[in-house]
Amino acid sequence: MIIDKKNLHGGLPLWSAGSGSRLRTCAKMGSEACDVAIVGGGVSGALIALTLSRAGLDVVVIDRRQPGQGSTGASTAMIQFELDTSLRELSGKIGARRAFRAYRRSLKAVADLKALTAAEGIRCEWRDRDAVYLAGDNLGHRGLKLEAATRRRADLPSEFIDADELKSKYGVERMGAIVSGGAGELNPARLLTGALNAARKRGCRIYSGHEVIEVQNTGVGIRLATDTDGEILCKKTVFATGYETIKSLPKGRFDITSSWAIATKRIHPRKFWPTRCLLWEASNPYLYVRTTADNRVLAGGEDSGLNDAERRDAAIPAKAATLLSKLNTLLPGRSFEIDYAWGGAFAVSPSGLPIFAEINDHPGCMAILACGGNGITFSLIAAQVVEAWVRGKRDSDASLFEHAGV
């Protein structure tokens, strides 16, 4: 086994209830040849496969599970340019110039993702939203004003609003907030199946139930051997295996931790807060809130350093109750009820940036790890970085993501 195996989520995620469109995978694998093999059929693998297929490259995707059954199933799919690390804090870690570039690239990625889904006709329930970053115990009124000023210097679509304006525009009571444009929400299961189906129409072959057990450099390319006696011969390999990382990836660049989420029973559209914006707190642990196309409220957070899957899953009822209590406090008078509750593993890096790194002892291989709460946004950036790398070029922002800012 060259890739870690982890229990990535437990409980009943909202997206497990048949919310994705159908995906056809190939039958038993024999010997495949292609330009690029992608190991991992989650959102990262799907967006990379589609991007490379659109560029005219011959692609094979392989996953030990059915695509979408890993971390994607636990995603809450708030599509933002804002990182878990504030722009001011990131500037202190990697320098203002690089931090501004990272935030601007993330903003561009949200727009690029929206454009890609529209161009391919992917019906993933995309909705444009503002993101409202609420004052909390990490950043209060003064801290948010400083953060908003820093974002203005970086030409980001963010502005600070005070408590009165927050209450009148969005119906939320806090000491203030940063309102940012350029955000959205979607259904990650539909995004994944839509992207893979679009790639398949361009010739991409998708295999599920096959595990890569050996990587060999043949001198003229790469040979991937599977546990089902199949093989893939390719020029480049991308390991988009998420938090089940390839064992050769240097350790110490990130931590695996846990998060929890709930989805409420459907409510009447009139009961939503004004504009149905994304809400998230500058607190630790923080709460974040979005809506869904079928009129549910999805809330998540309560992140902890817990990395034991059994204890994470055992904590789901208590964490769900805490999330529900916080949701009812933030948006009073609605009496939300839980319909789905789940917990999942995710990775955090010291800077909040993802890792897209070539693997030293596997020439021609790259590992993709979309750390933090911006996984889908980072997945789109990864697809663009990978496309340049496959073509023997270098994405202009690649250096931002090679070491996760450390």
Side-chain angles (χ1 to χ4, degrees):
M1 182 176 66
I2 64 167
I3 300 169
D4 292 334
K5 279 189 176 180
K6 292 185 174 71
N7 179 333
L8 295 171
H9 59 77
L12 184 62
L14 172 61
W15 320 114
S16 65
S19 61
S21 54
R22 293 187 64 185
L23 173 68
R24 279 193 3 225
T25 58
C26 297
K28 183 178 179 180
M29 178 185 289
S31 181
E32 278 277 9
C34 61
D35 294 321
V36 185
I38 300 169
V39 184
V43 165
S44 291
L47 291 176
I48 294 168
L50 177 54
T51 299
L52 297 182
S53 296
R54 281 167 58 94
L57 294 161
D58 187 28
V59 179
V60 169
V61 175
I62 180 172
D63 198 309
R64 60 163 61 123
R65 301 181 178 88
Q66 181 71 14
Q69 297 302 305
S71 297
T72 297
S75 172
T76 47
M78 289 174 61
I79 313 301
Q80 300 171 249
F81 71 81
E82 298 156 290
L83 279 62
D84 290 343
T85 307
S86 71
L87 182 56
R88 293 184 72 231
E89 183 183 355
L90 186 61
S91 296
K93 290 177 180 290
I94 67 173
R97 178 180 292 183
R98 288 169 61 81
F100 285 15
R101 281 172 55 202
Y103 260 73
R104 285 195 292 258
R105 183 58 181 266
S106 189
L107 175 65
K108 179 180 182 297
V110 176
D112 289 348
L113 178 62
K114 178 182 177 181
L116 178 64
T117 59
E120 293 294 330
I122 298 173
R123 301 174 66 180
C124 59
E125 300 169 2
W126 179 285
R127 302 290 187 275
D128 291 330
R129 300 289 186 221
D130 284 340
V132 179
Y133 189 32
L134 303 170
D137 55 25
N138 273 5
L139 288 176
H141 178 277
R142 180 174 177 274
L144 286 183
K145 290 187 79 172
L146 291 171
E147 173 71 7
T150 304
R151 293 187 186 187
R152 283 197 301 274
R153 291 199 298 275
D155 296 322
L156 296 168
S158 299
E159 65 170 339
F160 176 81
I161 61 173
D162 62 19
D164 290 341
E165 190 173 1
L166 177 64
K167 176 64 175 175
S168 64
K169 281 190 175 180
Y170 300 103
V172 177
E173 294 188 3
R174 284 292 173 93
M175 292 301 294
I178 294 175
V179 179
S180 297
E185 63 189 26
L186 55 75
N187 179 323
R190 290 189 180 275
L191 173 65
L192 180 142
T193 53
L196 286 178
N197 278 328
R200 187 176 56 80
K201 289 177 183 178
R202 288 179 165 85
C204 175
R205 282 87 71 207
I206 304 161
Y207 290 92
S208 61
H210 301 267
E211 180 171 356
V212 174
I213 58 173
E214 185 181 7
V215 181
Q216 245 182 358
N217 192 304
T218 66
V220 294
I222 301 163
R223 176 182 175 270
L224 305 178
T226 75
D227 62 345
T228 54
D229 297 325
E231 67 174 11
I232 304 172
L233 305 173
C234 57
K235 299 171 185 175
K236 300 279 189 179
T237 301
V238 179
F239 287 91
T241 55
Y243 314 134
E244 292 181 316
T245 54
I246 184 168
K247 292 182 180 296
S248 300
L249 191 68
K251 305 302 179 185
R253 294 190 182 183
F254 54 87
D255 294 314
I256 303 297
T257 185
S258 296
S259 188
W260 291 265
I262 59 172
T264 70
K265 294 182 178 179
R266 294 182 181 91
I267 63 174
H268 194 281
R270 286 200 298 268
K271 290 188 176 182
F272 286 109
W273 54 99
T275 79
R276 293 172 64 152
C277 59
L278 310 182
L279 298 168
W280 60 306
E281 296 179 323
S283 297
N284 186 22
Y286 68 96
L287 176 75
Y288 57 87
V289 181
R290 56 159 286 195
T291 64
T292 67
D294 62 347
N295 293 320
R296 303 176 189 274
V297 177
L298 197 160
E302 285 300 296
D303 302 356
S304 88
L306 183 67
N307 60 13
D308 178 84
E310 288 188 9
R311 292 174 61 198
R312 177 200 69 213
D313 293 351
I316 290 172
K319 292 290 188 177
T322 299
L323 288 170
L324 181 63
S325 175
K326 287 186 171 184
L327 179 62
N328 282 320
T329 299
L330 179 67
L331 301 166
R334 294 169 173 87
S335 299
F336 296 112
E337 297 179 72
I338 296 173
D339 216 5
Y340 299 87
W342 67 96
F346 73 105
V348 292
S349 70
S351 65
L353 292 172
I355 299 169
F356 313 144
E358 292 189 65
I359 304 170
N360 291 335
D361 54 354
H362 289 301
C365 297
M366 179 178 281
I368 300 299
L369 182 60
C371 305
N374 293 56
I376 294 176
T377 306
F378 290 155
S379 293
L380 194 283
I381 299 174
Q384 296 168 337
V385 170
V386 167
E387 182 187 356
W389 171 72
V390 168
R391 293 186 177 280
K393 300 178 180 180
R394 184 169 170 81
D395 185 280
S396 60
D397 289 323
S399 64
L400 295 174
F401 309 112
E402 290 171 334
H403 308 291
V406 295

